[in-house]
Amino acid sequence: MSKQKPSLPKGTRDFGPAEMNKRHFILETIKKVYQKYGYAPIETPAMENLSVLQGKYGDEGDQLLFKILNSGDFLSKTEKTDLNSSKDLLPKIAEKGLRYDLTVPFARFVVMNQHNLSFPFKRYQIQPVWRADKPQKGRYREFYQCDADAIGTDSLLCEAEIVLMIKEVFTLLQAKKANSLDYSIKINNRKILSGLVEAIGQKGKETDFAVAIDKLDKIGIDKVKEELSSKGFDQAAIDKLDPVFAISGNNREKLQAVKSVLQSSEVGLKGTNELEEVLNILDSFGMEVPELELDITLARGLSYYTGAIFEVKPNNVKMGSISGGGRYDGLTDNFGLPNVSGVGISFGVDRIYDVLEELDLYPDNNITSTKVLITAFDQDSWNYGLKVLSSLRNAEIKSEIYPEPVKIKKQMKYANDKQIPFVIVIGSEEIKSGKLALKNMQEGTQEMLSTDEIINFLK
Amino acid sequence: MSKQKPSLPKGTRDFGPAEMNKRHFILETIKKVYQKYGYAPIETPAMENLSVLQGKYGDEGDQLLFKILNSGDFLSKTEKTDLNSSKDLLPKIAEKGLRYDLTVPFARFVVMNQHNLSFPFKRYQIQPVWRADKPQKGRYREFYQCDADAIGTDSLLCEAEIVLMIKEVFTLLQAKKANSLDYSIKINNRKILSGLVEAIGQKGKETDFAVAIDKLDKIGIDKVKEELSSKGFDQAAIDKLDPVFAISGNNREKLQAVKSVLQSSEVGLKGTNELEEVLNILDSFGMEVPELELDITLARGLSYYTGAIFEVKPNNVKMGSISGGGRYDGLTDNFGLPNVSGVGISFGVDRIYDVLEELDLYPDNNITSTKVLITAFDQDSWNYGLKVLSSLRNAEIKSEIYPEPVKIKKQMKYANDKQIPFVIVIGSEEIKSGKLALKNMQEGTQEMLSTDEIINFLK
């Protein structure tokens, strides 16, 4: 065994206790909301057969899959001719890959368990995924996804509940009331986009249209029109979009305006009707969601969406979307099970982490860490401390004793470094009186209290 | 995209909602106890550089590491001569591997973060590991480990607290009081084993001794003696062990008996003194641990242990050890940081899962799942149900409405399949009276209650 300076694979990260506490806050919040809305947890293995993964994410995705070398003498099943190129050799020496997202494993899970599942099936899944992307700021090769999907129903209740879940997650994440995250829940419907293309007589150019209109925010109306023109949209068609670009008002007003443009498109009107129904269900719930904003320029890249699409954008932090999702029709088509419709949402943990950090929104109390440290001047005090510790733990208070009666300063430093909010100090005086010194580490104050009083105070 | 029947890589598993709920119960229990004792969470990446992993688990372990193929044109950096054998080719085409346990990644973490950590450092880590083992009943290629380690202190408080944590975990896991798990926490000390070998004049044969005596339970005294003889222990030496084999009584009595054999061995007496101190600390805590059993035949395979060793054995279920650990001295030696002593414990989640299943120890209530389903006879009732749902969720009750007012039987089946314990039924009568039917699905009973009464009842 050689001695070496260890390192981490690029694009991967360790999480220490302080980061874990913040991530825990985010993940537990999302989990709690998913459960509250009836989504049940599942987990799938990190490895999937490459036959399951390949061909699902496009050519670029196939490149970015991490492949696992077959165990043992992996060359034994290869021929000389396989060795000419990586492309030829790959399928002979690797049969498994790491999960690239949670959607394809979920589709596989549904197909393999279709006879045991009760539909509608609502599941959430919070696990890491791996992509051999070029690492850069905010982009990692291992990162968590937090997905919830409801499949086997086309009820628009699911869409409305996704809006409510998003609102609830971001409300709970703003634990510190002093600051706040200003955000929009943007909603659109793919059928509206298709309808617009149809209504202006350019059917078949849906993708070019979506790519161009998606940039409206960044480049403005004129540049979007230029791009459409360069993609072969004729001028008359482009002009027909003017009322769309001029749309304003609240969500209901916007929908009316879009409808007037879409009069000739059956699919387009189906899209507006769906969104209207989502707004109606939200009204029935009696929930106000002022953050919800119909944005008919929202397109989202993933081509498998067929109905409502969502995206959450922070408005007071410079950051891309922190949550997104939508309705799809063919989740399990690739695995021979057609017509499985569903709708899903995903929260971007790493970006949310950065947003909360920037706005200083994390709660002050560390959820996972020790609440009180017992320190002792000498061996007798330490032995006495063990009994105090026992009482604290019996009262379910997260507590520790410094493992040896070393210099108090060193014990205090430990509490400080670990951000333990309270310290009990025990010396011979304290044993005699039964009143222990309880120090508040943040405020620097100190009180003399009995063990019972300390327990009552800390609970 | 071809259609295909999807499958799972062998040795891996999906966890559906029912299994997740049970696993969640186990993992949250362990996590809660670790936190209560001041252990803080960390997480490390699934992938490590092979330079970190290789040479740490013996030759067999190196074989069982899952290796990740380099991305892109992985053959581009190879020479013709590398292609002759898998062994030559491997280091040229794979630089990363999957985590094989949590100990080596923890050691790497400690070395890389040594200047930011405050010692003693107490961390827990609950993550999956991967081994290319031959899959068989109860042995998987992906499984969770749940480790806690305290490093940078040799205080025997850590050993005593490990005993207490084990007891607390298994007390909390027996939520159903009707049944119970009978188990022993076996404890020994590697120094006692070394001392015995020294005391009988066979220094240098520690491993053979440990391997033989470890089988005492299974093969009996005579066979153990035979094995020792076959490994070159002389008869006089073997006879000196008779008082050891005859040891009985409580833990203090056993320690006294071992001491008398170990009189000539400094290291051996250090071992008995350490165990005595652990018993003393437990006494100071005022905690009774009748499950704790000194077993001087306990050896544990892993050679890096240097002090106390632990193992938890169920007595009323046929199953190997369900938890184990011990003290080590050279955690980070391989990475150039010497003298890092520590002590750790690990719980075997998969085995504990099976034990709780066999003894029917899981709590009846499903922690993660929906508590009440709202069902509706018609569209009006469904719309009314949305308001009820909103009230339930405002009261933090996990609740759902069936997404459409289909036949009540179908809605009931959904509740049944999902093991939802309560169902609210809404029809025109209910809307008129404001009293809703609350069905208890387990007992088959039904009551007419207002929304507020239902909330009070379910909270």
Side-chain angles (χ1 to χ4, degrees), chain A residues 125-413:
Chain A
Q125 189 170 357
I126 299 181
Q127 291 190 281
V129 301
W130 296 271
R131 297 180 184 182
D133 244 323
K134 212 181 161 74
Q136 57 185 60
K137 192 176 176 300
R139 190 196 285 164
Y140 305 99
R141 292 185 148 193
E142 174 181 72
F143 58 96
Y144 270 75
Q145 288 195 334
C146 301
D147 288 16
D149 290 81
I151 61 163
T153 172
D154 44 26
S155 165
L156 294 158
L157 171 71
C158 304
E159 276 84 341
E161 289 196 334
I162 281 179
V163 172
L164 293 178
M165 289 199 292
I166 292 172
K167 185 179 165 78
E168 190 150 349
V169 164
F170 287 107
T171 303
L172 290 172
L173 286 180
Q174 303 185 60
K176 238 187 205 170
K177 299 293 172 214
N179 309 323
S180 76
L181 167 65
D182 178 21
Y183 66 97
S184 301
I185 306 172
K186 301 201 172 191
I187 189 170
N188 196 11
N189 193 303
R190 273 290 169 88
K191 296 189 181 88
I192 293 182
L193 290 175
S194 301
L196 285 174
V197 180
E198 189 179 41
I200 63 172
Q202 305 288 313
K203 216 169 159 178
K205 294 184 182 154
E206 284 77 10
T207 306
D208 285 340
F209 181 76
V211 169
I213 206 163
D214 202 27
K215 300 178 188 158
L216 187 63
D217 258 6
K218 280 173 215 140
I219 62 177
I221 295 177
D222 293 343
K223 294 268 180 198
V224 168
K225 286 181 168 183
E226 267 174 40
E227 180 166 331
L228 288 172
S229 176
S230 78
K231 294 286 179 189
F233 285 68
D234 62 51
Q235 198 53 45
I238 295 173
D239 287 342
K240 282 191 197 150
L241 287 170
D242 281 334
V244 174
F245 292 131
I247 279 173
S248 69
N250 65 29
N251 292 332
R252 299 265 184 193
E253 288 161 355
K254 283 184 187 168
L255 270 179
Q256 285 314 315
V258 182
K259 269 187 178 177
S260 68
V261 181
L262 288 174
Q263 272 161 12
S264 64
S265 165
E266 194 184 332
V267 64
L269 290 176
K270 192 155 192 303
T272 54
N273 286 344
E274 285 180 11
L275 284 189
E276 251 176 348
E277 176 66 13
V278 171
L279 296 180
N280 290 344
I281 293 175
L282 288 173
D283 283 349
S284 293
F285 262 114
M287 304 292 278
E288 295 279 327
V289 191
E291 296 85 358
L292 185 65
E293 181 188 324
L294 172 63
D295 178 356
I296 59 145
T297 70
L298 179 69
R300 284 186 69 73
L302 295 164
S303 57
Y304 58 80
Y305 291 122
T306 52
I309 44 180
F310 306 94
E311 214 163 85
V312 181
K313 268 284 288 165
N315 297 322
N316 56 343
V317 187
K318 224 178 142 177
M319 176 71 78
S321 74
I322 51 180
S323 178
R327 180 172 284 278
Y328 42 80
D329 277 334
L331 178 71
T332 53
D333 283 4
N334 283 317
F335 300 119
L337 184 67
N339 303 325
V340 173
S341 173
V343 55
I345 184 73
S346 185
F347 288 91
V349 187
D350 289 299
R351 286 185 171 179
I352 292 172
Y353 185 98
D354 289 346
V355 166
L356 298 191
E357 193 78 86
E358 189 169 334
L359 294 175
D360 188 20
L361 287 173
Y362 289 107
D364 290 325
N365 58 326
N366 189 314
I367 317 165
T368 57
S369 101
T370 301
K371 194 147 191 192
V372 59
L373 176 76
I374 299 172
T375 62
F377 273 101
D378 49 40
Q379 193 61 46
D380 283 347
S381 311
W382 191 82
N383 289 340
Y384 185 91
L386 292 182
K387 287 180 189 56
V388 177
L389 182 57
S390 203
S391 305
L392 289 168
R393 287 188 181 149
N394 283 339
E396 299 303 327
I397 293 166
K398 290 178 186 136
S399 43
E400 294 178 68
I401 188 168
Y402 195 86
E404 290 152 294
V406 296
K407 285 205 179 108
I408 287 287
K409 205 177 154 188
K410 195 173 173 189
Q411 301 183 52
M412 288 292 174
K413 185 180 179 309

Side-chain angles (χ1 to χ4, degrees), chain A residues 1-4 6-9 12-17 20 32 35-49 51-52 55-56 66-69 71-76 83 85-86 89-90 93-94 96 98 108-109 111-113 118-122 130 132 141-142 144 153-155 157 161 168 281 284-285 287 333-336 367-368 370 382-383 386-387 389-390 393 396-404 414 417-418, chain B residues 1-4 6-9 12-17 20 32 35-49 51-52 55-56 66-69 71-75 83 85-86 89-90 93-94 96 98 108-109 111-113 118-122 130 132 141-142 144 153-155 157 161 168 281 284-285 287 333-336 367-368 370 382-383 386-387 389-390 393 396-404 414 417-418:
Chain A
M1 302 191 211
S2 64
K3 282 172 194 170
Q4 56 189 191
S7 61
L8 270 177
T12 69
R13 297 163 288 173
D14 284 325
F15 298 111
M20 282 295 288
K32 189 179 155 188
Q35 287 178 13
K36 185 167 160 183
Y37 282 76
Y39 289 78
I42 75 160
E43 279 186 13
T44 63
M47 299 179 211
E48 293 280 353
N49 288 321
S51 56
V52 166
K56 310 300 187 298
F66 279 109
K67 286 110 187 167
I68 295 165
L69 203 54
S71 302
D73 185 8
F74 56 88
L75 282 180
S76 65
L83 297 171
S85 76
S86 297
L89 186 56
L90 176 66
I93 63 170
K96 294 179 290 292
L98 292 179
R108 178 200 49 70
F109 175 91
V111 172
M112 286 179 67
N113 295 281
S118 161
F119 293 94
F121 181 59
K122 292 159 75 177
W130 296 271
R141 292 185 148 193
E142 174 181 72
Y144 270 75
T153 172
D154 44 26
S155 165
L157 171 71
E161 289 196 334
E168 190 150 349
I281 293 175
S284 293
F285 262 114
M287 304 292 278
D333 283 4
N334 283 317
F335 300 119
I367 317 165
T368 57
T370 301
W382 191 82
N383 289 340
L386 292 182
K387 287 180 189 56
L389 182 57
S390 203
R393 287 188 181 149
E396 299 303 327
I397 293 166
K398 290 178 186 136
S399 43
E400 294 178 68
I401 188 168
Y402 195 86
E404 290 152 294
Y414 176 83
D417 287 346
K418 211 171 166 175
Chain B
M1 304 190 206
S2 62
K3 282 174 198 173
Q4 53 187 195
S7 62
L8 270 177
T12 68
R13 298 163 287 173
D14 284 324
F15 297 113
M20 282 296 288
K32 187 179 157 185
Q35 286 179 12
K36 183 166 162 185
Y37 283 75
Y39 288 78
I42 75 160
E43 279 187 12
T44 62
M47 300 179 211
E48 292 278 353
N49 288 320
S51 56
V52 166
K56 309 300 186 300
F66 279 108
K67 287 109 186 167
I68 294 166
L69 201 55
S71 302
D73 184 9
F74 57 88
L75 282 180
L83 298 171
S85 76
S86 297
L89 186 57
L90 176 66
I93 62 169
K96 295 179 289 290
L98 291 181
R108 178 198 51 69
F109 175 91
V111 172
M112 286 179 67
N113 295 282
S118 163
F119 294 95
F121 181 60
K122 292 160 73 177
W130 296 270
R141 292 186 147 194
E142 173 180 74
Y144 269 75
T153 173
D154 44 26
S155 166
L157 170 71
E161 291 196 332
E168 191 152 346
I281 294 175
S284 293
F285 262 114
M287 303 292 279
D333 283 6
N334 281 318
F335 300 119
I367 318 165
T368 56
T370 301
W382 192 82
N383 288 340
L386 292 182
K387 288 180 190 54
L389 182 57
S390 200
R393 287 189 181 149
E396 299 305 325
I397 294 165
K398 290 180 187 134
S399 42
E400 293 179 68
I401 188 167
Y402 195 86
E404 290 151 294
Y414 177 82
D417 288 345
K418 210 170 167 178

